[in-house]
Amino acid sequence: MRQSQLFSPTLREAPSDADAISHQLLLRAGMIRTLAAGIYSYLPLGRRVLRNIENIIREELDIVGAQEMLMPSMQPTELWKESGRYSIYGPELIRLHDRHQREFALGPTHEEVVTTIVRNEINTYRKLPLIVYQIQTKFRDERRPRFGLLRGREFLMKDAYSFDTDMAGLDRSYQIMSQAYHRIFNRLGLHVRAVEADAGAIGGDGGTHEFMALADIGEDTIVSCDCCEYAANLEKAVARFSIEQTGNNNINNTRILDMPERIYTPSIHTIDQLVQLLNLNPKHLIKTLIYRIGDHVIAALVRGDHEVNEIKLMNALGVEQLELADAATVERITGAPVGFAGPLGLAVPVYVDHAVARMEEAIVGGNEQDYHIRHVRPGRDFDMNTVLDLRNVVEGDACPHCDQGRLQFSRGIEVGQVFKLGTRYSEKMRAAFLDASGREQTMVMGCYGIGVSRILSAVVEQQHDDHGICWPEAIAPFHVHLIPVSLQDPSQAEVTESLYQRLRANGVAVLLDDREERPGIKFKDSDLIGIPYRIVVGKQAAEGKIELKQRSRKDTEVLTIEEVIVRMNS
Ligand code: 9G3
């Protein structure tokens, strides 16, 4: 390809609203352009990278027997009513009406569609297991699209769905797809870690992993052990309950027992203020949070230095939504304004985190304005009918899997996820089959996603430097950037042209920078676009010597034309 013909408008500066380095670089390299918030066009260079990513995904999925389909984006909302998800999703699910006033959703995902197709066509175990996939545009009207392709409203996803006769079959499909994912991300040159994750609203019979590309811009917090392989999304991560801290809430030990004592804490509303006033460590406090679930109200107790993990709380309550109670509700339930809530004498169900249950004594809100209470003993002074894992783990917590590891945090971009759905959709949508003895069974499903367009950004986040992008060879828009210093020089022009033809004849993807630009401009653009190999044809062309430089390395080599041809073919 001749760069004088290429539609790739590079920019000297990044637009001000691009706040992720990958967003800046993809814009500056002329690979994407914004049409509207969270909605992007892929210019030729960006499209070439996207296609390379897609092809690696296709190769690895076709090898394991998954079959590519293509499903519509326009989905009749009757399907979402049938699956029971129509009411779960709000404005994020883009809905429209056709000319006959029939309602459709623009597909954010395709569980309902694929289950309908399979249910209509398969009714015998002989046709299972089946894994189908598509690479297709998804629509999710994110409230706050940001970081360019990392969180868009229209994006490219590979979504796959497996159909098995039983859970054992699903386990096999899940394994097959997870291993294929590791091969895919490896080939993409993406540094990815699979972490245990929470199944969330999609539901499912347990078992879901997220594939996280490690990057500081990542919105997800990855928890991993510094000794063993344990890794989980913060939503899901648990700590080992260190046994030396258990006990002590039995009240028959001999120490003189301090009884609860009110302390005057005027206009102290936050944990920090309380810590300041009483000059103590937050781990000696109990935080009482009042939540509303529909018209129910509950209290959640965590230690002062911990945070409630609302995913764990929702899973424990078996609900899909909850929110902190508003001030009026807190006042009604506790008898005091926000900031003085405590567990003593509450008339609502109290959910207690393990770390609270192990506290010998604590300071709690007094359920009275301007008062807290100290020397409170969990179990003696308030009932602990429900003790469970309610909190976010913190760095330094003991690993739940090995006996000496400590948990550490890192940030990640979710680029893939695999779910065991079980019969969550097939039951509702009656995807059934006759087994070998002629009995009707419900299909067992799994679903598997890869954020194809998100990977474009994730790779740039992991592979760039101060001058621009460093594309891995497997997905780079071109393999070689051929740059003559001056095409006015006849020997440079001749060497450049013959090299260009020979490399292309060998099937090497070459971008020839034939623009009438100063060399400095050409090299700046070359660093920005990030093609893995750069061949510079300069003064030494007259002696048949040219320079070869790798984008990801500092040094350059002076080689003969023949040597370069051989190197680019290897
Ligand atoms: C919606 C909207 C947003 C959504 C969903 C549904 C995420 C939704 C989860 C999944 C699960 C898997 C198949 C490929 C892999 C991921 N956001 N999810 O279901 F209506 Cl608006 O998409 N689906």
Side-chain angles (χ1 to χ4, degrees), residues 80 85 89-94 108-111 138-141 157-161 202 417 419 425 447-450:
W80 287 72
R85 289 213 289 177
Y89 291 93
E92 195 188 354
L93 180 62
I94 299 177
T109 181
H110 281 69
E111 281 80 4
K138 294 285 184 283
F139 299 87
R140 294 178 185 177
D141 200 355
M157 182 197 273
K158 184 287 301 170
D159 45 321
Y161 305 86
I202 186 165
Q417 63 271 77
F419 290 83
Y425 292 91
C447 66
Y448 316 85
I450 289 182

Side-chain angles (χ1 to χ4, degrees), residues 15 35 55 220 229 246 321 323 345 348 401 410 463 506 535 560:
L35 188 65
N55 289 340
D220 290 283
E229 282 312 300
T246 48
Q321 261 146 355
E323 67 220 343
V348 295
H401 277 202
S410 52
Q463 317 260 355
N506 292 346
I535 296 173
T560 66

Side-chain angles (χ1 to χ4, degrees), residues 71-246:
M71 290 179 264
S73 289
M74 284 185 65
Q75 304 183 8
T77 46
E78 286 78 7
L79 294 179
W80 287 72
K81 290 169 186 164
E82 210 177 323
S83 70
R85 289 213 289 177
Y86 185 73
S87 52
I88 292 182
Y89 291 93
E92 195 188 354
L93 180 62
I94 299 177
R95 301 157 217 246
L96 61 97
H97 289 86
D98 69 7
R99 59 191 307 168
H100 308 295
Q101 292 320 308
R102 283 193 209 100
E103 189 184 38
F104 287 80
L106 286 184
T109 181
H110 281 69
E111 281 80 4
E112 283 78 4
V113 173
V114 77
T115 307
T116 298
I117 294 170
V118 170
R119 133 189 107 191
N120 291 343
E121 309 304 334
I122 290 183
N123 63 5
T124 164
Y125 72 101
R126 291 192 183 81
K127 291 283 186 185
L128 299 175
L130 170 69
I131 302 181
V132 291
Y133 75 92
Q134 64 173 351
I135 297 180
Q136 198 240 30
T137 301
K138 294 285 184 283
F139 299 87
R140 294 178 185 177
D141 200 355
E142 299 282 349
R143 192 166 42 81
R144 279 186 60 225
R146 58 189 190 141
F147 298 160
L149 303 179
L150 289 179
R151 181 164 291 281
R153 294 195 288 168
E154 176 177 340
F155 55 93
L156 206 53
M157 182 197 273
K158 184 287 301 170
D159 45 321
Y161 305 86
S162 63
F163 297 84
D164 280 280
T165 55
D166 55 22
M167 282 305 284
L170 169 56
D171 290 345
R172 282 191 295 275
S173 296
Y174 191 85
Q175 271 308 317
I176 288 167
M177 289 298 282
S178 299
Q179 285 153 5
Y181 271 38
H182 283 294
R183 286 192 292 273
I184 287 168
F185 293 122
N186 201 15
R187 285 184 59 188
L188 290 173
L190 209 49
H191 181 196
V192 161
R193 179 144 203 190
V195 302
E196 291 176 28
D198 181 73
I202 186 165
D205 289 31
T208 180
H209 282 80
E210 285 165 351
F211 288 74
M212 295 292 191
L214 303 175
D216 290 342
I217 193 94
E219 292 180 342
D220 290 283
T221 300
I222 301 166
V223 177
S224 55
C225 173
D226 57 10
C227 280
C228 75
E229 282 312 300
Y230 177 70
N233 189 311
L234 179 61
E235 293 173 353
K236 174 98 179 177
V238 296
R240 194 158 62 91
F241 305 121
S242 29
I243 41 179
E244 65 273 8
Q245 289 174 20
T246 48

Side-chain angles (χ1 to χ4, degrees), residues 25-77:
L25 291 176
L26 287 170
L27 288 167
R28 285 190 51 209
M31 294 185 158
I32 63 171
R33 282 293 181 271
T34 307
L35 188 65
I39 298 174
Y40 297 92
S41 307
Y42 301 91
L43 304 188
L45 281 182
R47 183 65 184 106
R48 288 175 74 98
V49 179
L50 215 49
R51 183 177 295 111
N52 294 335
I53 294 170
E54 291 172 22
N55 289 340
I56 287 174
I57 292 172
R58 283 196 176 90
E59 282 171 17
E60 293 302 333
L61 292 187
D62 293 351
I63 285 171
V64 302
Q67 300 177 57
E68 185 170 7
M69 290 175 57
L70 182 59
M71 290 179 264
S73 289
M74 284 185 65
Q75 304 183 8
T77 46

